[in-house]
Amino acid sequence: MKLCIAFSLLIVLIEIQEQISCFSLSIPASPGYYQDGHFVIGGLFSLRVTARDNRIKFGFNDAMAIPEAVIVNLTKNYQHMLAMFFAIEKINKDPNILFNMSLGFYLYNVDFFETKAMESSMALLSGESPPIPNYSCRPEKTDKLVAVIGGISTGISAQISRVLSLYHVPQISYAPFDVSLETRVQLQSPYQFPVYNAAQYQGIIQLLLYFTWVWVGLVVPADRRGELFMKEITEEMNNHGICVAFAEKGPVFPSFGDIGWYQLIVHLTLTRVVIAFGDTHDFLTLVSLIISVDTFGNIWITTSDWYTIIFPFNQNVIYTYFGGALSFSVHMDEILGFKDFQRSVHPKKYPHDIFIQHVWSILFECPHLYEHGVRKLSQCEQNGSLSTRSLNVWDMNTSPLSYKVHVAVYAIAQALHEELSLRVNGDSLDQGGLQAPLPWKLHPFLQKGQLGRNINEENIVNQEDSATKIDIFTYHPLQSGTKAQVKVGEFLFESKSVHYLSLNDKLIYLGVFNNQIPFSNCKQSCPLGFRKTEDRWFAFCCCDCVPCPAGEITNETDMDQCFKCPEDQYPNKQRNQCLPKIIAFLSHEDTLGVVLVSATISLSAISAMILGLFIHYRDTPIVRANNRNLSYILLVSLMLCFFCSLTFIGQPRTVTCVLRQMIFGVVFSVAVSAILAKTFIVVMAFKTIKPGSPLQMWMVTRLSNAIVCCGSMIQVCICAIWLGTYPPFPDVDMQSESGQIILLCNEGSTLAFYCVLGYLGFLASLSLLIAFLARRLPDTFNEAKTITFSMIVFCSVWISFVPTYLSSTGKTMVAVEIFSILASSAGLLGCMFLPKCYMILQRSGSHFRKKVFT
């Protein structure tokens, strides 16, 4: 049902827009309301919307009247006329303004037809219906005309000016300010009320930023005023990071079935917030659309020119689905005494007012009849008052347009006052034979006057506040089912850099479809753990959500950049929170630490047992064959090599960090030097046993001892230089492992560390080379083969250690070095001494059996 009403209204409005009509001067003009006075002010107002003008020309001379079909009776617009009545009554009661002379008026209802506005303008000048151009049929009316107030839209104002400007009659338009009127009217353009575009633009921008609405649509009239608004507001929105989702120019749907209709519906489904700029007439083309697409829950932001959107047509539907609109209106004070004046209004008070007859019959549903096309009341409530009517048909509060009409009357009165003052000063004022001044004589006084002034003062003061105050309204549901404008905030504008926005969030009502403040983005907001990336078309409004990289988080929605956690914290898996890191090091309680400690103790025990075995069988040929002292040194150094791995386990401290590498380097250099000395003895043994050789065995023994001492001392010197320049120290690694703070020993000088390893490699390579060359020398207890194999194992372990060590972090790095120490030491122990232990035990066992059985 609702959709049918909307589409029927749409069709009728289209018919209005497409109707091409012209009036005939032989047809009587619309009746007006005249009240005599020394000076007469014309008024052209719009009290209804009709579907067809009743003057359509058929041929050159004949015309046919077709009854008007009233679509909307804008009863609230009658307040515009009452504002004029009230102002004129106050002026007439004050003898100082017009020197004890009176103001009268001549009013017409032009509906929303530009042709009616032009015809009524000619009737004002002619004083007769039908109007006769360039003739004054009733001089008692036309000669007193000094100025005209009207019309309600810029189009109607332009048509009125086309007539009045030919006769230089001043016109004050209460329509929205339109700069294009100066170019559309060739002669004298109408006087317009000041515009507060900068304040209004900034107010809308600040409201959008307050609710973080950055994806907004625009609906503007298809004229220069709409184009100017679109250009300026778009520039301001871009400067503040707000994007225009779409911009539609009215008429939004020039003909039924036009693609613009469907296109706008698509836009409204994708855009939650729409800024509507225009006047009442522009809005009428959008009524049916708002009703039809109510389920979208759009938020409408309107300007003060849209005040009369609260018109009495299908009120429940309009209020229900337009509820939540936010309206900007330049702040104005209530007209003092105007509410009391409205309460006193009654048809009996204005018996000749044909307009109150029409409005009263609608407001109070009174029976009526027509006389000469004018509605007459037959029976009505005797004590009826406008204050008892519901808000959907009448509002006692002063509307912005009524305020303008009231100010316009005072502006004309002020101009008359100044013109009459010149006559008084010239002693030419004679009330007996007084004639109204020619209309164009008021232009100099109107041009220097200001329309935006405080009208509550009896004397008109040409003052303008330095700051502009704009009230923000919304529509609230009442118990009666209607809605009332409720002030929810205000915007004070001093300059682009100085402005203040205040809103009462508790009073803001955003319609039946919005339980909370809706989002207005081209895409949904980015959740926690994601950041926004720019869209190539709408860089600062539309965005894609990209997960934060490893090690970074976002703890708020719609963040532009991810950020890293503090060094002592790490991000969780969702990357939306920082958690405290765990302190980690290779401790004795860890499973890996327990295994390594057990292996160290076991291998050290095996080394001690082998040393004890060698000491016990020190006089056997196997032990004595290759210098048993070197064997003792080697076994002790290997035992210390196993034990030195224990310094790598536990929390790193300054002492342990310094000792672990020094002990490792020195002890291993002793072990490898002892193996080199053993290799040297194997080779030199064959040299000394040859006849005529100058070398004696004692010399070989001393030389081997010198090799052990020199090899060890060089390593000691390297370690001393290391300690003296850049020694190892305890350090903290917060980056290698996520969620852990790794306590480690920084090697200090990396060059010194690799010099220690390089020197050990040099000794091992030299031993391997000599042993490999001496592996085939004939001797029962030749160690060359075992030395060769043990050096191959030793070199393999430490060659594989370097890349593994460099690619490891944290506890793994420490474990790799401990494993290399244990593996290389165990390789030396196994290859060098296990075969000898087997031979010692086997031979000592057979020798023991022989002694027993003999």
Side-chain angles (χ1 to χ4, degrees):
M1 182 63 184
K2 177 192 68 175
L3 202 57
C4 293
I5 296 174
F7 277 104
S8 62
L9 175 61
L10 173 64
I11 295 173
V12 173
L13 291 173
I14 294 169
E15 185 180 357
I16 296 173
Q17 292 179 348
E18 294 182 343
Q19 181 66 46
I20 303 176
S21 62
C22 62
F23 60 88
S24 171
L25 296 181
S26 63
I27 301 299
S30 299
Y33 176 29
Y34 178 79
Q35 178 175 301
D36 196 17
H38 292 93
F39 317 105
V40 174
I41 300 177
L44 303 176
F45 300 99
S46 300
L47 301 182
R48 61 185 182 178
V49 177
T50 55
R52 184 184 298 273
D53 194 354
N54 65 348
R55 281 157 296 279
I56 301 179
K57 189 170 182 180
F58 292 86
F60 294 98
N61 298 317
D62 299 328
M64 176 180 178
I66 300 177
E68 295 177 336
V70 179
I71 301 177
V72 180
N73 283 302
L74 301 177
T75 54
K76 289 188 177 182
N77 284 9
Y78 182 64
Q79 191 188 67
H80 308 163
M81 291 187 176
L82 292 183
M84 188 171 182
F85 299 162
F86 181 65
I88 289 177
E89 285 188 9
K90 287 177 62 179
I91 292 172
N92 289 339
K93 290 178 182 180
D94 189 344
N96 296 322
I97 297 180
L98 297 180
F99 300 96
N100 211 19
M101 287 181 282
S102 62
L103 275 178
F105 53 78
Y106 200 175
L107 308 183
Y108 282 95
N109 173 29
V110 300
D111 294 339
F112 272 91
F113 272 102
E114 296 180 4
T115 53
K116 278 190 177 182
M118 183 177 290
E119 176 189 0
S120 298
S121 301
M122 296 178 66
L124 282 174
L125 296 173
S126 178
E128 185 60 81
S129 177
I132 302 177
N134 292 328
Y135 283 91
S136 176
C137 301
R138 291 190 178 180
E140 69 276 9
K141 292 183 179 180
T142 58
D143 292 349
K144 297 178 182 180
L145 183 67
V146 292
V148 176
I149 300 174
I152 197 171
S153 69
T154 55
I156 293 175
S157 296
Q159 297 305 322
I160 296 172
S161 295
R162 292 183 187 277
V163 177
L164 298 182
S165 62
L166 296 174
Y167 302 92
H168 301 284
V169 177
Q171 174 197 355
I172 299 180
S173 171
Y174 64 98
F177 183 88
D178 188 359
V179 67
S180 65
L181 282 180
E182 297 180 0
T183 57
R184 293 165 65 182
V185 180
Q186 300 298 325
L187 300 176
Q188 179 68 44
S189 61
Y191 296 97
Q192 302 183 74
F193 282 81
V195 63
Y196 303 92
N197 284 342
Q200 202 168 65
Y201 296 160
Q202 289 298 323
I204 294 175
I205 294 297
Q206 295 306 314
L207 180 70
L208 297 176
L209 295 177
Y210 181 86
F211 291 114
T212 63
W213 291 334
V214 296
W215 187 244
V216 182
L218 295 178
V219 177
V220 299
D223 54 21
R224 184 176 177 184
R225 183 169 53 98
E227 293 179 358
L228 182 63
F229 174 84
M230 185 183 299
K231 176 183 177 181
E232 294 178 350
I233 194 70
T234 301
E235 183 178 351
E236 289 295 328
M237 290 168 66
N238 291 338
N239 293 337
H240 291 82
I242 302 173
C243 284
V244 177
F246 68 90
E248 290 288 345
K249 296 180 180 180
V252 179
F253 22 83
S255 61
F256 187 74
D258 189 273
I259 192 172
W261 164 265
Y262 305 103
Q263 182 176 349
L264 184 59
I265 292 180
V266 173
H267 288 323
L268 292 177
T269 59
L270 302 176
T271 308
R272 297 300 301 275
V273 179
V274 183
I275 300 175
F277 173 79
D279 56 23
T280 304
H281 186 259
D282 298 322
F283 173 78
L284 293 178
T285 60
L286 286 176
V287 172
S288 56
L289 181 64
I290 294 175
I291 300 173
S292 302
V293 299
D294 59 273
T295 54
F296 302 152
N298 299 102
I299 302 297
W300 294 83
I301 299 176
T302 68
T303 60
S304 59
D305 305 330
W306 285 60
Y307 176 82
T308 50
I309 57 174
I310 310 178
F311 56 84
F313 176 80
N314 205 0
Q315 285 297 314
N316 293 333
V317 176
I318 292 293
Y319 288 142
T320 300
Y321 303 112
F322 198 71
L326 294 168
S327 178
F328 281 77
S329 178
V330 177
H331 177 76
M332 62 179 183
D333 298 326
E334 280 290 334
I335 302 175
L336 296 180
F338 188 47
K339 285 187 177 180
D340 295 333
F341 174 78
Q342 293 181 74
R343 292 187 184 98
S344 67
V345 170
H346 195 274
K348 293 181 179 180
K349 185 178 180 180
Y350 302 100
H352 302 292
D353 186 355
I354 61 174
F355 304 115
I356 196 173
Q357 306 289 327
H358 176 79
V359 172
W360 209 267
S361 67
I362 297 173
L363 294 180
F364 292 89
E365 300 179 354
C366 303
H368 59 274
L369 51 88
Y370 285 93
E371 291 183 6
H372 306 291
V374 178
R375 182 179 296 190
K376 297 290 185 179
L377 300 179
S378 58
Q379 293 180 356
C380 203
E381 185 178 346
Q382 296 296 324
N383 298 321
S385 175
L386 293 176
S387 61
T388 62
R389 299 300 88 189
S390 60
L391 285 172
N392 65 317
V393 292
W394 192 264
D395 191 351
M396 295 294 290
N397 294 319
T398 305
S399 71
L401 297 182
S402 299
Y403 185 90
K404 288 183 177 181
V405 171
H406 193 272
V407 172
V409 174
Y410 267 91
I412 296 171
Q414 176 69 14
L416 284 171
H417 174 82
E418 295 182 8
E419 201 278 338
L420 294 175
S421 297
L422 294 179
R423 298 193 197 180
V424 172
N425 295 333
D427 298 327
S428 61
L429 186 61
D430 181 11
Q431 294 189 14
L434 178 67
Q435 291 184 350
L438 296 175
W440 55 83
K441 290 187 176 182
L442 297 184
H443 281 297
F445 307 105
L446 289 173
Q447 289 172 356
K448 70 179 182 180
Q450 294 178 349
L451 295 176
R453 59 172 65 91
N454 186 355
I455 63 172
N456 287 331
E457 300 179 6
E458 291 296 331
N459 296 323
I460 303 301
V461 181
N462 292 330
Q463 294 179 348
E464 184 176 0
D465 296 334
S466 59
T468 302
K469 184 177 180 182
I470 296 179
D471 295 328
I472 304 173
F473 295 92
T474 188
Y475 303 97
H476 273 220
L478 301 178
Q479 294 181 354
S480 61
T482 61
K483 292 180 182 289
Q485 269 192 327
V486 177
K487 182 178 177 180
V488 296
E490 61 184 26
F491 179 72
L492 185 64
F493 178 82
E494 296 182 6
S495 64
K496 284 190 175 182
S497 59
V498 182
H499 44 70
Y500 309 95
L501 174 69
S502 62
L503 286 174
N504 189 342
D505 294 346
K506 296 181 180 179
L507 293 178
I508 295 177
Y509 173 75
L510 295 177
V512 295
F513 298 103
N514 298 303
N515 296 326
Q516 58 184 2
I517 303 298
F519 292 101
S520 185
N521 303 78
C522 63
K523 293 186 178 179
Q524 294 183 353
S525 59
C526 293
L528 303 182
F530 291 78
R531 66 177 179 88
K532 296 192 300 183
T533 58
E534 293 184 350
D535 186 278
R536 62 176 182 173
W537 298 111
F538 300 98
F540 48 78
C541 291
C542 298
C543 62
D544 293 324
C545 298
V546 178
C548 289
E552 298 184 2
I553 70 165
T554 55
N555 56 4
E556 295 180 3
T557 58
D558 290 332
M559 294 190 66
D560 296 325
Q561 297 293 335
C562 302
F563 62 91
K564 294 184 177 180
C565 292
E567 290 189 350
D568 59 343
Q569 297 179 3
Y570 72 100
N572 57 358
K573 292 183 179 180
Q574 293 76 22
R575 300 177 183 177
N576 59 7
Q577 187 180 4
C578 291
L579 303 176
K581 290 184 177 180
I582 301 172
I583 297 177
F585 58 90
L586 186 60
S587 65
H588 299 87
E589 290 79 13
D590 291 343
T591 302
L592 182 60
V594 172
V595 172
L596 293 176
V597 169
S598 300
T600 298
I601 294 175
S602 300
L603 292 173
S604 299
I606 294 173
S607 300
M609 292 172 59
I610 295 174
L611 178 61
L613 183 64
F614 267 58
I615 293 174
H616 181 72
Y617 293 101
R618 59 184 177 278
D619 294 328
T620 59
I622 296 176
V623 176
R624 297 177 57 189
N626 294 100
N627 196 330
R628 58 188 175 189
N629 293 331
L630 289 178
S631 297
Y632 296 156
I633 293 173
L634 180 57
L635 285 170
V636 172
S637 62
L638 289 177
M639 192 184 308
L640 294 177
C641 286
F642 290 128
F643 276 117
C644 81
S645 62
L646 295 177
T647 60
F648 290 83
I649 302 174
Q651 183 174 350
R653 303 184 185 277
T654 304
V655 176
T656 56
C657 287
V658 171
L659 291 180
R660 64 171 61 173
Q661 298 295 356
M662 303 306 156
I663 294 174
F664 157 72
V666 173
V667 172
F668 260 87
S669 65
V670 173
V672 179
S673 297
I675 294 174
L676 179 62
K678 279 179 167 289
T679 308
F680 178 76
I681 289 176
V682 171
V683 175
M684 297 306 296
F686 288 93
K687 299 294 182 179
T688 56
I689 61 175
K690 290 182 180 180
S693 176
L695 295 175
Q696 300 296 324
M697 196 62 194
W698 61 269
M699 297 176 63
V700 174
T701 302
R702 289 186 177 182
L703 190 58
S704 63
N705 293 335
I707 290 174
V708 175
C709 292
C710 292
S712 302
M713 289 305 298
I714 293 174
Q715 188 71 291
V716 171
C717 292
I718 295 174
C719 291
I721 295 173
W722 187 1
L723 288 175
T725 55
Y726 196 4
F729 58 90
D731 199 2
V732 176
D733 182 7
M734 297 184 179
Q735 307 299 329
S736 299
E737 295 289 340
S738 177
Q740 293 184 352
I741 299 177
I742 301 174
L743 302 183
L744 50 83
C745 286
N746 193 310
E747 306 302 343
S749 175
T750 306
L751 178 62
F753 174 70
Y754 287 107
C755 284
V756 170
L757 292 180
Y759 181 69
L760 292 177
F762 169 74
L763 294 178
S765 301
L766 187 61
S767 299
L768 175 62
L769 178 61
I770 297 174
F772 181 79
L773 296 176
R775 70 187 185 282
R776 299 186 181 278
L777 294 177
D779 188 13
T780 304
F781 303 108
N782 186 2
E783 290 185 306
K785 294 181 180 180
T786 57
I787 291 173
T788 300
F789 189 71
S790 64
M791 286 297 99
I792 290 174
V793 173
F794 184 87
C795 293
S796 299
V797 170
W798 287 105
I799 289 174
S800 61
F801 161 78
V802 174
T804 307
Y805 181 81
L806 293 176
S807 61
S808 303
T809 58
K811 295 189 292 185
T812 306
M813 178 184 291
V814 179
V816 166
E817 190 167 359
I818 294 175
F819 177 79
S820 299
I821 293 172
L822 296 178
S824 60
S825 301
L828 293 178
L829 182 65
C831 295
M832 294 289 296
F833 295 101
L834 288 183
K836 294 178 182 180
C837 291
Y838 175 77
M839 294 176 65
I840 291 173
L841 294 176
Q842 185 182 27
R843 294 192 178 187
S844 62
S846 61
H847 177 69
F848 176 75
R849 285 194 297 271
K850 289 178 181 181
K851 290 181 66 177
V852 172
F853 290 105
T854 56

